[in-house]
mmCIF file with all atom_site columns, all heavy atoms in Angstrom:
data_model
loop_
_atom_site.group_PDB
_atom_site.id
_atom_site.type_symbol
_atom_site.label_atom_id
_atom_site.label_alt_id
_atom_site.label_comp_id
_atom_site.label_asym_id
_atom_site.label_entity_id
_atom_site.label_seq_id
_atom_site.pdbx_PDB_ins_code
_atom_site.Cartn_x
_atom_site.Cartn_y
_atom_site.Cartn_z
_atom_site.occupancy
_atom_site.B_iso_or_equiv
_atom_site.pdbx_formal_charge
_atom_site.auth_seq_id
_atom_site.auth_comp_id
_atom_site.auth_asym_id
_atom_site.auth_atom_id
_atom_site.pdbx_PDB_model_num
ATOM 1   N N   . LEU N 1 181 ? -6.499 -34.023 -9.780  1.00 84.00 ? 181 LEU N N   1
ATOM 2   C CA  . LEU N 1 181 ? -5.568 -33.944 -8.667  1.00 84.00 ? 181 LEU N CA  1
ATOM 3   C C   . LEU N 1 181 ? -4.218 -33.472 -9.196  1.00 84.00 ? 181 LEU N C   1
ATOM 4   O O   . LEU N 1 181 ? -3.825 -33.834 -10.307 1.00 84.00 ? 181 LEU N O   1
ATOM 5   C CB  . LEU N 1 181 ? -5.427 -35.312 -8.001  1.00 84.00 ? 181 LEU N CB  1
ATOM 6   C CG  . LEU N 1 181 ? -6.726 -35.929 -7.484  1.00 84.00 ? 181 LEU N CG  1
ATOM 7   C CD1 . LEU N 1 181 ? -6.464 -37.331 -6.931  1.00 84.00 ? 181 LEU N CD1 1
ATOM 8   C CD2 . LEU N 1 181 ? -7.345 -35.045 -6.412  1.00 84.00 ? 181 LEU N CD2 1
ATOM 9   N N   . PRO N 1 182 ? -3.487 -32.664 -8.421  1.00 77.00 ? 182 PRO N N   1
ATOM 10  C CA  . PRO N 1 182 ? -2.185 -32.187 -8.907  1.00 77.00 ? 182 PRO N CA  1
ATOM 11  C C   . PRO N 1 182 ? -1.225 -33.338 -9.140  1.00 77.00 ? 182 PRO N C   1
ATOM 12  O O   . PRO N 1 182 ? -1.269 -34.352 -8.444  1.00 77.00 ? 182 PRO N O   1
ATOM 13  C CB  . PRO N 1 182 ? -1.685 -31.286 -7.781  1.00 77.00 ? 182 PRO N CB  1
ATOM 14  C CG  . PRO N 1 182 ? -2.886 -30.952 -6.976  1.00 77.00 ? 182 PRO N CG  1
ATOM 15  C CD  . PRO N 1 182 ? -3.813 -32.112 -7.102  1.00 77.00 ? 182 PRO N CD  1
ATOM 16  N N   . ASP N 1 183 ? -0.364 -33.186 -10.118 1.00 73.00 ? 183 ASP N N   1
ATOM 17  C CA  . ASP N 1 183 ? 0.676  -34.169 -10.354 1.00 73.00 ? 183 ASP N CA  1
ATOM 18  C C   . ASP N 1 183 ? 1.992  -33.654 -9.788  1.00 73.00 ? 183 ASP N C   1
ATOM 19  O O   . ASP N 1 183 ? 2.119  -32.510 -9.384  1.00 73.00 ? 183 ASP N O   1
ATOM 20  C CB  . ASP N 1 183 ? 0.809  -34.461 -11.852 1.00 73.00 ? 183 ASP N CB  1
ATOM 21  C CG  . ASP N 1 183 ? 1.170  -33.207 -12.621 1.00 73.00 ? 183 ASP N CG  1
ATOM 22  O OD1 . ASP N 1 183 ? 0.251  -32.457 -13.029 1.00 73.00 ? 183 ASP N OD1 1
ATOM 23  O OD2 . ASP N 1 183 ? 2.365  -32.964 -12.806 1.00 73.00 ? 183 ASP N OD2 1
ATOM 24  N N   . GLU N 1 184 ? 3.000  -34.518 -9.770  1.00 70.00 ? 184 GLU N N   1
ATOM 25  C CA  . GLU N 1 184 ? 4.263  -34.161 -9.118  1.00 70.00 ? 184 GLU N CA  1
ATOM 26  C C   . GLU N 1 184 ? 5.048  -33.110 -9.881  1.00 70.00 ? 184 GLU N C   1
ATOM 27  O O   . GLU N 1 184 ? 6.024  -32.570 -9.356  1.00 70.00 ? 184 GLU N O   1
ATOM 28  C CB  . GLU N 1 184 ? 5.116  -35.430 -8.950  1.00 70.00 ? 184 GLU N CB  1
ATOM 29  C CG  . GLU N 1 184 ? 4.501  -36.449 -7.995  1.00 70.00 ? 184 GLU N CG  1
ATOM 30  C CD  . GLU N 1 184 ? 5.345  -37.688 -7.850  1.00 70.00 ? 184 GLU N CD  1
ATOM 31  O OE1 . GLU N 1 184 ? 6.372  -37.788 -8.562  1.00 70.00 ? 184 GLU N OE1 1
ATOM 32  O OE2 . GLU N 1 184 ? 4.985  -38.552 -7.038  1.00 70.00 ? 184 GLU N OE2 1
ATOM 33  N N   . CYS N 1 185 ? 4.676  -32.826 -11.112 1.00 69.00 ? 185 CYS N N   1
ATOM 34  C CA  . CYS N 1 185 ? 5.436  -31.874 -11.925 1.00 69.00 ? 185 CYS N CA  1
ATOM 35  C C   . CYS N 1 185 ? 4.990  -30.430 -11.731 1.00 69.00 ? 185 CYS N C   1
ATOM 36  O O   . CYS N 1 185 ? 5.584  -29.525 -12.325 1.00 69.00 ? 185 CYS N O   1
ATOM 37  C CB  . CYS N 1 185 ? 5.311  -32.235 -13.407 1.00 69.00 ? 185 CYS N CB  1
ATOM 38  S SG  . CYS N 1 185 ? 6.078  -33.813 -13.827 1.00 69.00 ? 185 CYS N SG  1
ATOM 39  N N   . VAL N 1 186 ? 3.975  -30.193 -10.916 1.00 77.00 ? 186 VAL N N   1
ATOM 40  C CA  . VAL N 1 186 ? 3.493  -28.832 -10.728 1.00 77.00 ? 186 VAL N CA  1
ATOM 41  C C   . VAL N 1 186 ? 4.611  -27.956 -10.154 1.00 77.00 ? 186 VAL N C   1
ATOM 42  O O   . VAL N 1 186 ? 5.236  -28.301 -9.147  1.00 77.00 ? 186 VAL N O   1
ATOM 43  C CB  . VAL N 1 186 ? 2.267  -28.802 -9.792  1.00 77.00 ? 186 VAL N CB  1
ATOM 44  C CG1 . VAL N 1 186 ? 1.906  -27.372 -9.423  1.00 77.00 ? 186 VAL N CG1 1
ATOM 45  C CG2 . VAL N 1 186 ? 1.083  -29.475 -10.476 1.00 77.00 ? 186 VAL N CG2 1
ATOM 46  N N   . GLY N 1 187 ? 4.857  -26.842 -10.799 1.00 79.00 ? 187 GLY N N   1
ATOM 47  C CA  . GLY N 1 187 ? 5.861  -25.904 -10.321 1.00 79.00 ? 187 GLY N CA  1
ATOM 48  C C   . GLY N 1 187 ? 7.264  -26.158 -10.819 1.00 79.00 ? 187 GLY N C   1
ATOM 49  O O   . GLY N 1 187 ? 8.153  -25.333 -10.593 1.00 79.00 ? 187 GLY N O   1
ATOM 50  N N   . LEU N 1 188 ? 7.490  -27.274 -11.492 1.00 82.00 ? 188 LEU N N   1
ATOM 51  C CA  . LEU N 1 188 ? 8.830  -27.550 -11.997 1.00 82.00 ? 188 LEU N CA  1
ATOM 52  C C   . LEU N 1 188 ? 9.044  -26.826 -13.320 1.00 82.00 ? 188 LEU N C   1
ATOM 53  O O   . LEU N 1 188 ? 8.157  -26.770 -14.170 1.00 82.00 ? 188 LEU N O   1
ATOM 54  C CB  . LEU N 1 188 ? 9.035  -29.053 -12.194 1.00 82.00 ? 188 LEU N CB  1
ATOM 55  C CG  . LEU N 1 188 ? 8.998  -29.909 -10.929 1.00 82.00 ? 188 LEU N CG  1
ATOM 56  C CD1 . LEU N 1 188 ? 9.274  -31.359 -11.275 1.00 82.00 ? 188 LEU N CD1 1
ATOM 57  C CD2 . LEU N 1 188 ? 10.012 -29.420 -9.909  1.00 82.00 ? 188 LEU N CD2 1
ATOM 58  N N   . GLY N 1 189 ? 10.238 -26.297 -13.495 1.00 90.00 ? 189 GLY N N   1
ATOM 59  C CA  . GLY N 1 189 ? 10.556 -25.573 -14.714 1.00 90.00 ? 189 GLY N CA  1
ATOM 60  C C   . GLY N 1 189 ? 11.157 -26.470 -15.767 1.00 90.00 ? 189 GLY N C   1
ATOM 61  O O   . GLY N 1 189 ? 11.348 -27.676 -15.580 1.00 90.00 ? 189 GLY N O   1
ATOM 62  N N   . ILE N 1 190 ? 11.523 -25.853 -16.874 1.00 93.00 ? 190 ILE N N   1
ATOM 63  C CA  . ILE N 1 190 ? 12.091 -26.604 -17.985 1.00 93.00 ? 190 ILE N CA  1
ATOM 64  C C   . ILE N 1 190 ? 13.575 -26.870 -17.725 1.00 93.00 ? 190 ILE N C   1
ATOM 65  O O   . ILE N 1 190 ? 14.238 -26.174 -16.953 1.00 93.00 ? 190 ILE N O   1
ATOM 66  C CB  . ILE N 1 190 ? 11.928 -25.832 -19.305 1.00 93.00 ? 190 ILE N CB  1
ATOM 67  C CG1 . ILE N 1 190 ? 12.647 -24.478 -19.226 1.00 93.00 ? 190 ILE N CG1 1
ATOM 68  C CG2 . ILE N 1 190 ? 10.457 -25.639 -19.622 1.00 93.00 ? 190 ILE N CG2 1
ATOM 69  C CD1 . ILE N 1 190 ? 12.687 -23.738 -20.558 1.00 93.00 ? 190 ILE N CD1 1
ATOM 70  N N   . ALA N 1 191 ? 14.086 -27.875 -18.367 1.00 95.00 ? 191 ALA N N   1
ATOM 71  C CA  . ALA N 1 191 ? 15.516 -28.156 -18.279 1.00 95.00 ? 191 ALA N CA  1
ATOM 72  C C   . ALA N 1 191 ? 16.271 -27.150 -19.135 1.00 95.00 ? 191 ALA N C   1
ATOM 73  O O   . ALA N 1 191 ? 15.881 -26.872 -20.272 1.00 95.00 ? 191 ALA N O   1
ATOM 74  C CB  . ALA N 1 191 ? 15.801 -29.576 -18.748 1.00 95.00 ? 191 ALA N CB  1
ATOM 75  N N   . PRO N 1 192 ? 17.359 -26.579 -18.632 1.00 96.00 ? 192 PRO N N   1
ATOM 76  C CA  . PRO N 1 192 ? 18.114 -25.608 -19.412 1.00 96.00 ? 192 PRO N CA  1
ATOM 77  C C   . PRO N 1 192 ? 18.931 -26.287 -20.506 1.00 96.00 ? 192 PRO N C   1
ATOM 78  O O   . PRO N 1 192 ? 19.205 -27.490 -20.442 1.00 96.00 ? 192 PRO N O   1
ATOM 79  C CB  . PRO N 1 192 ? 19.027 -24.964 -18.368 1.00 96.00 ? 192 PRO N CB  1
ATOM 80  C CG  . PRO N 1 192 ? 19.235 -26.038 -17.347 1.00 96.00 ? 192 PRO N CG  1
ATOM 81  C CD  . PRO N 1 192 ? 17.939 -26.797 -17.293 1.00 96.00 ? 192 PRO N CD  1
ATOM 82  N N   . ASN N 1 193 ? 19.315 -25.501 -21.480 1.00 96.00 ? 193 ASN N N   1
ATOM 83  C CA  . ASN N 1 193 ? 20.199 -25.985 -22.527 1.00 96.00 ? 193 ASN N CA  1
ATOM 84  C C   . ASN N 1 193 ? 21.566 -26.311 -21.919 1.00 96.00 ? 193 ASN N C   1
ATOM 85  O O   . ASN N 1 193 ? 22.192 -25.453 -21.286 1.00 96.00 ? 193 ASN N O   1
ATOM 86  C CB  . ASN N 1 193 ? 20.337 -24.918 -23.620 1.00 96.00 ? 193 ASN N CB  1
ATOM 87  C CG  . ASN N 1 193 ? 21.280 -25.339 -24.722 1.00 96.00 ? 193 ASN N CG  1
ATOM 88  O OD1 . ASN N 1 193 ? 22.489 -25.212 -24.592 1.00 96.00 ? 193 ASN N OD1 1
ATOM 89  N ND2 . ASN N 1 193 ? 20.725 -25.826 -25.809 1.00 96.00 ? 193 ASN N ND2 1
ATOM 90  N N   . GLU N 1 194 ? 22.036 -27.544 -22.099 1.00 96.00 ? 194 GLU N N   1
ATOM 91  C CA  . GLU N 1 194 ? 23.264 -27.977 -21.449 1.00 96.00 ? 194 GLU N CA  1
ATOM 92  C C   . GLU N 1 194 ? 24.474 -27.189 -21.934 1.00 96.00 ? 194 GLU N C   1
ATOM 93  O O   . GLU N 1 194 ? 25.383 -26.872 -21.148 1.00 96.00 ? 194 GLU N O   1
ATOM 94  C CB  . GLU N 1 194 ? 23.477 -29.475 -21.682 1.00 96.00 ? 194 GLU N CB  1
ATOM 95  C CG  . GLU N 1 194 ? 22.445 -30.346 -20.965 1.00 96.00 ? 194 GLU N CG  1
ATOM 96  C CD  . GLU N 1 194 ? 22.732 -31.819 -21.139 1.00 96.00 ? 194 GLU N CD  1
ATOM 97  O OE1 . GLU N 1 194 ? 23.779 -32.164 -21.756 1.00 96.00 ? 194 GLU N OE1 1
ATOM 98  O OE2 . GLU N 1 194 ? 21.932 -32.643 -20.657 1.00 96.00 ? 194 GLU N OE2 1
ATOM 99  N N   . GLU N 1 195 ? 24.512 -26.849 -23.214 1.00 97.00 ? 195 GLU N N   1
ATOM 100 C CA  . GLU N 1 195 ? 25.648 -26.091 -23.736 1.00 97.00 ? 195 GLU N CA  1
ATOM 101 C C   . GLU N 1 195 ? 25.678 -24.685 -23.145 1.00 97.00 ? 195 GLU N C   1
ATOM 102 O O   . GLU N 1 195 ? 26.752 -24.163 -22.818 1.00 97.00 ? 195 GLU N O   1
ATOM 103 C CB  . GLU N 1 195 ? 25.589 -26.028 -25.255 1.00 97.00 ? 195 GLU N CB  1
ATOM 104 C CG  . GLU N 1 195 ? 25.815 -27.370 -25.936 1.00 97.00 ? 195 GLU N CG  1
ATOM 105 C CD  . GLU N 1 195 ? 25.792 -27.248 -27.450 1.00 97.00 ? 195 GLU N CD  1
ATOM 106 O OE1 . GLU N 1 195 ? 25.582 -26.121 -27.962 1.00 97.00 ? 195 GLU N OE1 1
ATOM 107 O OE2 . GLU N 1 195 ? 25.978 -28.280 -28.124 1.00 97.00 ? 195 GLU N OE2 1
#
Side-chain angles (χ1 to χ4, degrees):
L181 303 176
D183 60 272
E184 295 180 356
C185 294
V186 171
L188 295 182
I190 60 172
N193 178 278
E194 292 184 4
E195 292 182 359

